[in-house]
Amino acid sequence: MAKLKMQDEGLGIRLSLLGAIHLCCLILSPALSVSMELPEVHVSVSFDMQQGLMHGISRVVFHEDWEGLIHYGSLRIRSLRLDGKPVGHASEGGDIKVRTKKGSVFEVQYECSSEGGSGDACIISNEGVFLTGRWYPSVEGLAYYRVEALVPPEFTAVSEAEDIKVDKDINGNRFFFKFPHPLDGINLIAGRFNVKKEDFRGIELYTYFFPEDAYLADTYLEYTKRYLELYEGITGKFPYKRFSVVENFLPTGYSMPTFTLLGRDVVRLPFIVRTSLGHEILHQWLGNLVFVDYGRGNWAEGLTTYLSDHLYEEREGRGWQYRKQMLIDYESYVSPDKDFPLRDFKGRVDPASRAIGYGKSAMVFHMLRRFLGDEVFYGSLRRLIDERRFQRVSWDDIRDIFAVASGRELGWFFVQWLNEKGFPVIEIKNIKVRPKGLQNVVAFDIEQKGRPYTLDMPVSVQTDRGRIRQVLRISDKRQGFEILTDGNPLRLIFDEDYDIFRGLSIDETPPVIARLLGDDRRLLVLPSGDAGVYSGLIEYLKREGYEVSGVPKKSSTFWGNSSGQGGVRDEDIKRSSLLILGYKNPLIKRLFGRIDETLIQHEAGFVLMAKKNPMNPSKVVVIAHSDSMDETEASLRKISHYGKYSMIAFKGGKNIAKRIDDSQRGWGMSVRGAVIGFEPAKAVKLDEIIERVSDKKIIYIGEQHDRYEQHMVQLEIIKGLFRRNPKIAIGMEMFQRSSQKALDDYIGGRIDERGFLKSSGYFKTWGFDYNLYRDILRFARDEGIPVVALNIRREVVSKVSRNGIDSLTGDEKKELPDSMDMSDEGYKKRLREVFERHEATGGKDFDNFYQSQIIWDEIMAQSIDEYLKKNPECQMVVIAGGGHLSFGSGIPKRTFRRNGFDYAIILNDVSIDNAIADFVLFPGSVEMTQSPRLMAMLKEEGGRIIIEGFPQQSVSEKAGLRRGDIIISMDDSRVNSIEDIKISLLYKRKGDVIKVRVLRKRFLFGEKEMEFDVTL
């Protein structure tokens, strides 16, 4: 069967009347070649409309000896006769095996009703008559059919026929249908139709619409003529004398020889005439003229899709988008347990089978067309239709006809695409650029995982002078290629028009609702509050196999309660696609920080938004919002028809908005960056930079922590901004939030520098010489400028980096930021590069590392936001490592998400890249007077400071200190921690002599206090 293409425009129609949730077309599949010796089946029916009952007589005339089955399913058989003699006893349900001689007549009298156990075969009501499938006793195989139907006087009947006659009868209208070609089944439709007729190129065109929809007739006739003209140019002359568009009271989308049957909700959709009508008309050739050999695979749906739905988009320049969507659908719906070879496709039963039988199949015909060329492809198609009219055709027949027409051996092509599951898994590796004279060579390897396919891979090289395009033939597991370019190569792009059936890269894949619908691991996250408005959706999704997880109803933080019970763990998020109920659900703040609530607040009653799962890019997170239970119920059954979208919105069950998020076109990767030059004479001076950023609410200044000259630049910028606006604050990454009181006391003059360093724990929490920041803090103290501690406890970040958020205790989770956005893919990619460059990360998990970085950034953004909201008159200068600021990804965009304050980014000594910062500074090197060192390796153990060893040329070892000595004082000041030693040394200069008192263990005599003069 061929299905009506519905989902692209989001048709939402409940199909339970047919016992199915898909629309389909009846394509007849005969078992024998055309022959006048085939049986003739004469069916005569009448109706009792009050009882919903059909009375029928079926007479089968055999023109040669025949043996086979007559199927009557669940029809109520009244009598069976062969050549006038009764045949056995007919029980309800089943088949009868019949052996006849030439000239025999087999007659069956039977009844069928909507409520008589005949299933969907007989639907009889005052709205109309719908007879399809087992509504009459049918012979096994191919036959010629004649139908006579007595219908109520107000009804008009339609069936497969080139000739239709009607006689007025005292009991109604008697229709006679004659079709001169063999079929393996026939159908009958009747209803209160307004009939309109036109002649077009010798074809009688009809529309059968219900009176309320009769206004659609002219539109459908006009589009029918366009499609007939189009397809006669592609597939040859229309094969029948007549064609009708028939409206059905049921939600169908069927195609039979000489007519198409479309449900009333379907025909009213404005896009149907531009898409699905042409699809059904093309089936008159593909499926209804050339039959499908279902036993060896259904090829007709893919070919029809390719030459209708795809062709219409291709003619508008959007063919690549349609092909990309087919690949997205395949990856969304076809999980490994639902995959099967294309040759095994018989018909659509679910979205996965549709993605294979329609999408993958259409892509196969696209690749075949590209391989053979248009002339051979369309010539072979016409030859197929001319030579195999009213015959069963298999994939092998198509292969043979196209091979003969092209003069090429095509077995390899059909084997790899029909017999294999899945798609080619391709990787591009070892990209290198080398000069060759005045030109450049781009070299790379293409690897295939698993069984290698033979592919024609389109590739282009973007250079600073234009683009070079080539098609590469690949057939081995690994092949190397070289492309010569005139310009400087910047980027490689593979298959940007989606000409190959392949897997998509993460950057090519937009987050779409289908990825949730088709996932084999789906987690439903209940709202933290009342779930009543979602009750119907929750029950439906439970039946669909969704796992269910809740979030605590009362919690001070979105991380869940201290025991983790009722919350969603990292492992849940990583392994599943999620449906989160409620746009205020705490889990949203955990993953995305916030979402755009504009549509929710002002327009829509029900909204779904799909986002990439930041903890597993192969999964999605879909956020649902509903205003009421009624809005949920009105939209629920329509969701599956909008799978291709990233966002859909409804009001009162009517779609009011839909969107597909942007994604990369083609599989692209950078080769090298463009070369940028600067004219030193036009460089911007620091004063001008300060002036240009002075109106920003937040000024971020990045640093490499151990570069003193960069800290001097930071101080100069702070001074310049302070001159313009004394209401300024300094936010510093170097201090943890717990040290805020110490900072306030120091700036306020309540403690001195030693007391500040001790109470803030600077030397415990920050590993860089305090002299790097001393001048900035002294300036802040002198001028009374508030300094804001931005950072989280390092122990929390380190624990997450090692073992993930789930490893934190309840108290530790309370320290986490109140929201996090983990969806910045560019930032994630840059952090992955950093992670992989550090050999010491071996054994660590990148996902945990990434989360720890996000926590780090988010807590600093939260600290900035909290201060500025409490002090709205203030401007803030933020001092942090450049990695937290580059491209705005670390702290700036996260702060902006919270408050929308304008900001500027200034970085020091970084490579120039587009959008990396507003300004980049290159300060000259400045030497810093560093604090002297004891030159001893120390450890704290049991409240003691123990010397573990010495570096070469150690001043402490030279003074007489030994390994194992326990330091107890320096210059008569008690030493209780390594921090005390660092604070003491801060106030010394090179060459100073310091008295170090130690305890030294002696053999047999215990510990002895000793004092040494150490020249620093």
Side-chain angles (χ1 to χ4, degrees):
M1 293 197 209
K3 296 187 186 70
L4 175 63
K5 176 204 178 262
M6 309 299 295
Q7 65 186 47
D8 283 351
E9 295 294 339
L11 176 64
I13 300 175
R14 192 166 185 175
L15 305 175
S16 59
L17 286 173
L18 293 180
I21 54 171
H22 63 274
L23 300 179
C24 54
C25 314
L26 296 179
I27 296 180
L28 306 175
S29 23
L32 303 173
S33 299
V34 178
S35 168
M36 292 305 295
E37 302 304 318
L38 294 174
E40 293 182 30
V41 180
H42 299 262
V43 180
S44 178
V45 295
S46 61
F47 301 91
D48 182 341
M49 303 304 294
Q50 295 294 328
Q51 300 295 320
L53 183 65
M54 182 190 76
H55 303 282
I57 300 175
S58 174
R59 295 183 179 89
V60 184
V61 179
F62 297 96
H63 297 289
E64 60 184 9
D65 292 351
W66 190 89
E67 181 177 353
L69 294 176
I70 293 183
H71 309 287
Y72 62 88
S74 57
L75 298 174
R76 292 192 294 271
I77 305 301
R78 295 307 183 192
S79 70
L80 298 172
R81 292 179 179 272
L82 179 60
D83 295 331
K85 297 178 181 180
V87 178
H89 174 74
S91 61
E92 289 193 13
D95 302 326
I96 299 175
K97 188 170 184 179
V98 176
R99 180 181 299 170
T100 69
K101 296 184 179 295
K102 181 178 181 180
S104 291
V105 177
F106 187 85
E107 180 181 284
V108 184
Q109 295 188 26
Y110 64 97
E111 290 179 352
C112 181
S113 69
S114 299
E115 299 179 358
S118 300
D120 299 328
C122 301
I123 297 179
I124 303 162
S125 74
N126 289 326
E127 286 192 277
V129 173
F130 176 78
L131 305 179
T132 183
R134 296 288 171 80
W135 63 277
Y136 63 93
S138 57
V139 298
E140 185 177 37
L142 200 62
Y144 289 95
Y145 284 84
R146 302 290 184 269
V147 175
E148 177 184 340
L150 178 63
V151 300
E154 67 274 20
F155 277 22
T156 300
V158 183
S159 184
E160 292 88 334
E162 291 203 318
D163 294 313
I164 301 177
K165 294 181 180 179
V166 58
D167 291 339
K168 299 292 183 180
D169 188 284
I170 189 171
N171 296 314
N173 297 324
R174 191 176 298 278
F175 284 83
F176 301 90
F177 301 97
K178 181 180 180 181
F179 191 72
H181 309 291
L183 298 170
D184 70 346
I186 201 160
N187 307 274
L188 180 66
I189 313 298
R192 296 178 176 86
F193 296 125
N194 281 4
V195 182
K196 187 165 187 177
K197 176 188 175 185
E198 279 193 28
D199 292 324
F200 178 72
R201 295 184 174 183
I203 307 167
E204 297 176 356
L205 301 182
Y206 294 84
T207 58
Y208 293 75
F209 285 116
F210 299 132
E212 62 270 25
D213 296 319
Y215 69 96
L216 295 170
D218 289 339
T219 299
Y220 272 83
L221 287 170
E222 182 60 34
Y223 272 92
T224 296
K225 289 186 284 188
R226 295 182 193 177
Y227 288 122
L228 290 174
E229 186 174 17
L230 169 66
Y231 287 122
E232 285 196 333
I234 294 175
T235 56
K237 184 174 175 57
F238 186 71
Y240 311 118
K241 295 178 181 179
R242 60 179 286 146
F243 178 76
S244 305
V245 179
V246 183
E247 186 175 8
N248 192 9
F249 61 95
L250 297 175
T252 56
Y254 289 2
S255 177
M256 300 86 155
T258 73
F259 74 101
T260 183
L261 182 65
L262 305 177
R264 60 163 57 122
D265 292 317
V266 175
V267 298
R268 295 169 183 171
L269 296 170
F271 62 85
I272 291 296
V273 291
R274 300 192 301 272
T275 55
S276 303
L277 177 63
H279 182 110
E280 304 310 322
I281 289 174
L282 180 56
H283 268 311
Q284 297 300 304
W285 284 270
L286 304 177
N288 291 333
L289 176 62
V290 177
F291 299 124
V292 177
D293 183 348
Y294 284 96
R296 294 192 285 170
N298 180 354
W299 50 268
E301 294 303 350
L303 184 54
T304 303
T305 297
Y306 183 63
L307 294 178
S308 57
D309 310 78
H310 170 269
L311 178 63
Y312 311 148
E313 295 297 305
E314 188 177 49
R315 294 171 79 189
E316 298 297 323
R318 298 188 296 266
W320 69 270
Q321 292 169 304
Y322 191 90
R323 294 190 291 274
K324 181 176 182 179
Q325 185 60 51
M326 289 192 288
L327 298 179
I328 293 171
D329 287 345
Y330 184 91
E331 290 199 340
S332 297
Y333 291 117
V334 183
S335 57
D337 62 315
K338 294 180 181 178
D339 201 1
F340 56 83
L342 179 56
R343 191 182 289 276
D344 293 342
F345 173 70
K346 303 296 190 297
R348 173 184 177 177
V349 295
D350 57 20
S353 58
R354 187 187 194 284
I356 296 170
Y358 288 65
K360 182 176 182 178
S361 180
M363 286 296 298
V364 168
F365 283 108
H366 179 69
M367 291 183 288
L368 183 62
R369 174 185 163 197
R370 289 185 67 248
F371 179 61
L372 299 179
D374 283 4
E375 183 177 352
V376 172
F377 179 83
Y378 287 111
S380 301
L381 177 63
R382 286 188 289 270
R383 182 172 181 175
L384 171 72
I385 292 170
D386 289 342
E387 293 182 1
R388 303 303 295 269
R389 298 165 68 89
F390 302 108
Q391 297 179 56
R392 176 184 290 178
V393 169
S394 70
W395 279 107
D396 293 338
D397 297 324
I398 293 174
R399 176 201 62 204
D400 294 343
I401 287 175
F402 276 70
V404 170
S406 65
R408 300 191 186 192
E409 199 283 315
L410 297 177
W412 62 270
F413 179 90
F414 284 89
V415 165
Q416 70 180 16
W417 294 117
L418 301 185
N419 298 352
E420 298 290 333
K421 295 192 292 185
F423 45 62
V425 180
I426 301 169
E427 291 186 355
I428 311 299
K429 293 185 174 181
N430 305 322
I431 302 174
K432 297 178 181 178
V433 178
R434 68 174 187 271
K436 186 174 183 179
L438 296 176
Q439 297 176 304
N440 288 288
V441 173
V442 181
F444 53 89
D445 295 333
I446 297 181
E447 292 188 7
Q448 296 193 63
K449 292 185 176 180
R451 176 197 185 281
Y453 286 69
T454 297
L455 305 169
D456 288 333
M457 172 69 78
V459 60
S460 61
V461 183
Q462 180 68 51
T463 76
D464 56 4
R465 297 185 184 180
R467 181 170 290 195
I468 299 168
R469 291 179 170 85
Q470 291 188 12
V471 176
L472 309 177
R473 169 60 64 92
I474 60 176
S475 57
D476 296 331
K477 291 184 73 69
R478 178 169 182 157
Q479 290 175 254
F481 296 94
E482 294 185 349
I483 298 177
L484 191 65
T485 71
D486 289 329
N488 180 37
L490 305 175
R491 189 170 178 80
L492 272 174
I493 307 172
F494 294 86
D495 193 28
E496 64 182 318
D497 289 330
Y498 301 96
D499 292 317
I500 295 176
F501 184 72
R502 62 175 176 85
L504 300 175
S505 68
I506 294 297
D507 293 334
E508 292 177 281
T509 309
V512 292
I513 295 166
R515 295 186 74 83
L516 170 72
L517 301 178
D519 205 321
D520 55 355
R521 298 299 295 265
R522 300 172 296 187
L523 179 64
L524 173 64
V525 183
L526 301 178
S528 56
D530 183 16
V533 298
Y534 304 104
S535 57
L537 178 61
I538 292 169
E539 291 306 312
Y540 172 76
L541 295 177
K542 285 181 179 178
R543 293 193 299 270
E544 290 293 306
Y546 283 66
E547 297 179 52
V548 179
S549 179
V551 295
K553 292 186 176 181
K554 293 182 180 180
S555 176
S556 60
T557 172
F558 67 98
W559 300 107
N561 54 29
S562 60
S563 64
Q565 299 300 314
V568 182
R569 297 176 61 84
D570 280 358
E571 189 58 35
D572 301 326
I573 301 172
K574 289 179 182 180
R575 68 187 177 90
S576 307
S577 284
L578 277 63
L579 176 60
I580 301 176
L581 300 183
Y583 73 92
K584 293 184 179 180
N585 194 303
L587 188 57
I588 296 172
K589 296 181 73 176
R590 175 175 173 179
L591 297 176
F592 305 107
R594 58 171 293 183
I595 58 171
D596 183 3
E597 301 172 6
T598 305
L599 190 65
I600 293 172
Q601 294 173 341
H602 300 294
E603 299 179 43
F606 184 86
V607 178
L608 289 180
M609 289 178 284
K611 295 178 173 291
K612 288 187 177 180
N613 185 331
M615 298 181 70
N616 184 346
S618 68
K619 306 284 187 178
V620 294
V621 175
V622 177
I623 300 166
H625 162 77
S626 182
D627 281 345
S628 67
M629 188 181 298
D630 289 341
E631 288 286 359
T632 304
E633 291 294 327
S635 307
L636 174 59
R637 301 297 177 183
K638 301 182 178 182
I639 294 173
S640 62
H641 301 292
Y642 290 80
K644 67 181 283 187
Y645 295 102
S646 304
M647 184 281 296
I648 53 175
F650 298 90
K651 189 71 173 179
K654 181 180 179 181
N655 179 245
I656 61 171
K658 54 184 180 285
R659 181 190 72 241
I660 301 175
D661 289 350
D662 292 336
S663 57
Q664 181 177 285
R665 178 176 176 178
W667 184 11
M669 53 208 71
S670 296
V671 176
R672 61 165 58 156
V675 178
I676 301 174
F678 293 93
E679 186 177 352
K682 295 183 179 180
V684 181
K685 294 182 179 179
L686 184 60
D687 284 345
E688 184 179 345
I689 292 174
I690 295 171
E691 182 64 34
R692 288 169 65 176
V693 302
S694 61
D695 63 335
K696 306 298 183 183
K697 185 72 170 176
I698 309 171
I699 299 94
Y700 297 95
I701 313 175
E703 65 177 52
Q704 293 160 328
H705 301 308
D706 59 352
R707 296 284 294 277
Y708 183 62
E709 62 271 16
Q710 295 182 13
H711 299 296
M712 292 298 95
V713 168
Q714 290 171 334
L715 179 57
E716 287 303 309
I717 295 173
I718 291 169
K719 288 180 177 179
L721 292 170
F722 180 74
R723 293 187 191 101
R724 292 165 173 80
N725 176 22
K727 293 183 178 180
I728 195 171
I730 304 171
M732 298 186 71
E733 175 195 0
M734 303 78 210
F735 295 99
Q736 296 178 2
R737 286 156 61 97
S738 58
S739 66
Q740 187 61 57
K741 184 179 185 305
L743 278 167
D744 293 342
D745 288 344
Y746 176 63
I747 299 299
R750 293 182 289 277
I751 57 176
D752 62 11
E753 189 175 62
R754 285 178 180 269
F756 159 64
L757 292 172
K758 182 69 173 177
S759 58
S760 68
Y762 175 86
F763 287 107
K764 289 182 178 179
T765 59
W766 196 251
F768 295 91
D769 195 323
Y770 179 70
N771 285 295
L772 294 164
Y773 304 99
R774 197 175 202 175
D775 292 336
I776 293 174
L777 286 159
R778 283 181 172 176
F779 177 74
R781 178 185 170 97
D782 291 343
E783 301 297 339
I785 299 173
V787 177
V788 182
L790 302 181
N791 220 330
I792 192 171
R793 276 198 307 129
R794 183 176 295 274
E795 293 84 354
V796 173
V797 175
S798 298
K799 193 171 181 180
V800 172
S801 182
R802 291 192 305 271
N803 300 309
I805 289 176
D806 290 340
S807 68
L808 298 179
T809 66
D811 287 339
E812 288 169 336
K813 286 181 179 179
K814 292 177 182 178
E815 299 183 52
L816 295 174
D818 57 12
S819 66
M820 297 197 333
D821 180 6
M822 301 181 64
S823 63
D824 188 333
E825 290 297 322
Y827 190 40
K828 188 174 187 178
K829 182 178 180 180
R830 291 192 293 275
L831 286 176
R832 186 181 291 276
E833 291 171 354
V834 172
F835 180 81
E836 292 175 349
R837 281 200 302 266
H838 288 73
E839 295 181 4
T841 60
K844 286 189 178 180
D845 181 83
F846 171 75
D847 290 336
N848 292 339
F849 169 76
Y850 178 56
Q851 283 191 70
S852 70
Q853 295 297 309
I854 298 300
I855 289 171
W856 200 347
D857 293 325
E858 289 285 4
I859 202 67
M860 289 193 279
Q862 180 177 322
S863 300
I864 295 165
D865 179 55
E866 289 173 350
Y867 182 85
L868 290 177
K869 285 179 177 175
K870 289 179 182 177
N871 302 274
E873 76 285 357
C874 276
Q875 185 181 39
M876 182 178 281
V877 177
V878 175
I879 296 173
H884 292 288
L885 308 179
S886 298
F887 302 96
S889 294
I891 305 173
K893 290 180 181 179
R894 299 173 194 280
T895 309
F896 185 82
R897 183 191 79 231
R898 297 166 181 272
N899 53 37
F901 292 153
D902 199 8
Y903 63 86
I905 300 173
I906 302 172
L907 297 181
N908 283 281
D909 289 325
V910 296
S911 298
I912 303 298
D913 200 343
N914 186 36
I916 194 171
D918 295 287
F919 297 96
V920 176
L921 308 179
F922 299 95
S925 178
V926 177
E927 289 293 329
M928 178 189 73
T929 301
Q930 296 183 344
S931 299
R933 295 179 298 159
L934 279 181
M935 300 181 71
M937 291 172 279
L938 308 175
K939 73 172 181 178
E940 292 187 28
E941 187 177 278
R944 292 182 162 192
I945 312 303
I946 304 171
I947 298 176
E948 286 194 307
F950 304 95
Q952 290 184 354
Q953 305 298 319
S954 168
V955 295
S956 293
E957 187 177 29
K958 185 177 180 181
L961 294 173
R962 295 180 184 176
R963 181 179 179 185
D965 285 349
I966 300 168
I967 301 176
I968 56 176
S969 70
M970 293 177 61
D971 281 348
D972 298 324
S973 295
R974 186 72 180 176
V975 171
N976 297 309
S977 65
I978 295 175
E979 178 186 30
D980 291 337
I981 294 175
K982 290 183 177 180
I983 292 174
S984 180
L985 292 173
L986 179 66
Y987 297 94
K988 300 297 181 180
R989 293 291 178 264
K990 187 176 182 180
D992 287 353
V993 177
I994 188 169
K995 293 184 181 296
V996 180
R997 183 172 291 275
V998 302
L999 287 177
R1000 178 173 293 172
K1001 293 181 179 180
R1002 297 183 300 167
F1003 183 66
L1004 299 179
F1005 297 102
E1007 295 177 335
K1008 177 183 179 181
E1009 280 195 22
M1010 303 178 70
E1011 185 175 279
F1012 299 90
D1013 290 335
V1014 179
T1015 303
L1016 299 173

